[in-house]
Amino acid sequence: MTPTGPATGTLYARLRDWFRARPLAFDATIACGTLVCMVAGSFTDPHGSPSGPTFGDRTPDVWSVLIMVLGAAALVLRRRRPFAVLCFTVTICLFELVNDVRPVPIAMSVVVALYTVASRTDRPTTWRVGLATMAMLTAAAMIFGPTNWYAQENLGVFAWTGMAAAAGDAVRSRRAFVDAIRERAERAERTREEEAGRRVAEERLRIARDLHDVVAHHIALVNVQAGVAAHVMDKRPDQAKEALAHVREASRSALDELRATVGLLRQSGDPEAPTEPAPGLAVLDGLLDSFRKAGLPVALARTDGDRPLPATVDLAAYRIVQEALTNVRKHAGPDAEAEVSVVRVGRTVEITVLDNGAPQAGSPADSGGHGLLGMRERVSALGGSLTTAPRYGGGFRVQAILPVTIRTGEDT
């Protein structure tokens, strides 16, 4: 019966926790309780009167009391050596049934030992051990007992041992079920944490790629225009003013894009969240003009018909062109020229950036930067392919093939 009431429930919880922390004390308590039951049962005569059993009509001898004490004492070790305790209690029970004319109920210790074995092993072992125990004790009681073989005492030995095995197996099954549920819950929690960590890492990587593209592009332009302004400041002030105007325009664009990118880190309720759309191929002409103003001749060829792309593909295509041209400006030399082509082929769009710069030790493939790595990660995330290699005779070639279908397979 489950304890009820605040005070009773608290006491029960304290006792439960105390016994869980001290399993040997709990087993000793079980052993003492079993001994009390066996001693009380030894004073009971099931056939003491025509109306039923009587208490006190018979008294166990010293040898029987010693047998009961040994059987109960063995239960203290039932968790540490369950099979050994079961074998010991079965042995002394058989000895009592065979040699005593009026055997005492030593089988109670066997019931507890058999329950322990069944609750700590698998089902096939429980069946084998349980049937063997029931068969031996029941046969000994029927053959050597003082009553008829069909007496209720003999059937009681069979029933109690059978119930002990069944109860132990049920407890083991429940423990396994609870452990499985707990393990699934812990595994689900770990999976959620890993998924959350993976999403955070992907988002950080995406923002890092955007920051790298924005900073590398605009700072390179600012550096070039500032160098031009410093070079012509004394002899051509008008050209220096124009270069400084380009510096101001490039820095303002960099600040705007940085503000939009960093604004992604704001909380959803923060004010002044960025509302401008992410850059894409629709503003590709403006991107190329910024490079032309920085002194890099860029030719554009488009056969995609300005058809819209998915937002992620559009942004990736823009960033690939931006990073590739930035690498051309940084590594291809002052006399380099670039060509950009955007071709729509079926369900893919091909972005190609070529330059005719002379081979240099500081090529983008060997510069140790993150430009090519960032482009490759962008393309791989979309399921596309990226090819980067030097051109025969000088220059560099970057080609990205991006899918123009969304993940559900629906064409845009």
Side-chain angles (χ1 to χ4, degrees):
M1 182 176 180
T2 304
T4 58
T8 306
T10 302
L11 179 60
Y12 172 77
R14 289 180 179 177
L15 289 175
R16 181 189 58 195
D17 296 338
W18 190 87
F19 277 123
R20 283 181 178 177
R22 301 166 179 83
L24 191 61
F26 180 75
D27 292 339
T29 303
I30 294 295
C32 292
T34 305
L35 178 61
V36 171
C37 293
M38 288 189 295
V39 172
S42 64
F43 284 92
T44 303
D45 186 359
H47 304 284
S49 66
S51 60
T54 59
F55 182 80
D57 288 349
R58 70 173 186 171
T59 303
D61 54 20
V62 176
W63 178 252
S64 296
V65 173
L66 179 61
I67 290 292
M68 289 186 287
V69 170
L70 291 176
L75 297 179
V76 177
L77 303 176
R78 68 187 185 96
R79 293 176 191 257
R80 299 181 180 180
R81 305 289 298 274
F83 283 98
V85 171
L86 177 62
C87 292
F88 178 77
T89 54
V90 169
T91 301
I92 62 175
C93 184
L94 290 174
F95 182 81
E96 176 73 7
L97 290 173
V98 172
N99 293 280
D100 202 328
V101 177
R102 303 181 64 185
V104 295
I106 188 64
M108 292 184 183
S109 61
V110 179
V111 170
V112 177
L114 181 58
Y115 164 83
T116 303
V117 170
S119 65
R120 292 177 172 271
T121 186
D122 52 44
R123 180 162 294 172
T125 303
T126 299
W127 275 98
R128 290 193 293 267
V129 174
L131 289 175
T133 303
M134 287 187 290
M136 287 189 294
L137 296 185
T138 304
M142 289 180 175
I143 296 173
F144 301 101
T147 59
N148 296 326
W149 67 269
Y150 53 84
Q152 61 180 2
E153 293 91 338
N154 302 333
L155 298 178
V157 171
F158 179 84
W160 278 104
T161 50
M163 286 189 294
D169 182 70
V171 169
R172 180 197 54 77
S173 299
R174 181 180 179 278
R175 287 174 181 169
F177 177 72
V178 172
D179 291 342
I181 292 178
R182 185 182 296 110
E183 182 183 358
R184 284 199 298 269
E186 293 175 353
R187 185 166 59 248
E189 184 65 24
R190 289 194 302 269
T191 303
R192 283 194 297 268
E193 293 176 356
E194 293 172 357
E195 178 67 15
R198 185 185 64 82
R199 290 180 180 273
V200 170
E202 289 179 353
E203 184 66 14
R204 290 177 61 186
L205 181 61
R206 187 186 66 80
I207 294 174
R209 286 197 300 261
D210 287 341
L211 287 175
H212 172 270
D213 294 342
V214 171
V215 172
H217 166 60
H218 290 290
I219 296 303
L221 296 183
V222 168
N223 180 62
V224 171
Q225 296 293 348
V228 172
H231 181 69
V232 301
M233 179 67 72
D234 296 331
K235 298 180 180 181
R236 302 176 185 175
D238 294 338
Q239 188 175 353
K241 290 181 180 179
E242 183 181 356
L244 291 176
H246 292 324
V247 168
R248 181 180 180 183
E249 181 181 352
S251 61
R252 183 172 59 249
S253 299
L255 290 175
D256 291 340
E257 291 200 37
L258 285 174
R259 186 181 300 110
T261 303
V262 176
L264 296 174
L265 301 177
R266 290 180 179 270
Q267 299 295 328
S268 58
D270 288 350
E272 300 181 1
T275 57
E276 296 181 0
L281 295 182
V283 294
L284 182 59
D285 292 332
L287 175 66
L288 301 186
D289 287 340
S290 66
F291 280 100
R292 294 184 184 113
K293 292 176 182 178
L296 175 64
V298 182
L300 174 63
R302 297 187 65 169
T303 61
D304 59 335
D306 293 334
R307 284 183 288 176
L309 298 174
T312 54
V313 178
D314 201 22
L315 176 61
Y318 179 89
R319 294 301 188 196
I320 289 170
V321 174
Q322 184 183 55
E323 179 60 31
L325 291 178
T326 301
N327 287 336
V328 173
R329 192 67 189 85
K330 291 167 60 177
H331 303 290
D335 299 327
E337 297 180 0
E339 299 177 5
V340 177
S341 66
V342 181
V343 181
R344 183 80 172 258
V345 181
R347 293 179 175 269
T348 62
V349 59
E350 296 182 6
I351 311 295
T352 305
V353 180
L354 307 174
D355 70 83
N356 61 352
Q360 299 181 16
S363 64
D366 304 322
S367 62
H370 299 281
L372 294 182
L373 178 61
M375 284 192 287
R376 196 172 303 279
E377 289 174 346
R378 285 183 183 276
V379 173
S380 299
L382 296 174
S385 61
L386 179 71
T387 303
T388 60
R391 299 176 65 192
Y392 179 77
F396 204 77
R397 177 175 179 268
V398 175
Q399 183 182 40
I401 301 177
L402 304 175
V404 295
T405 55
I406 59 176
R407 291 188 180 276
T408 58
E410 202 178 308
D411 200 344
T412 57

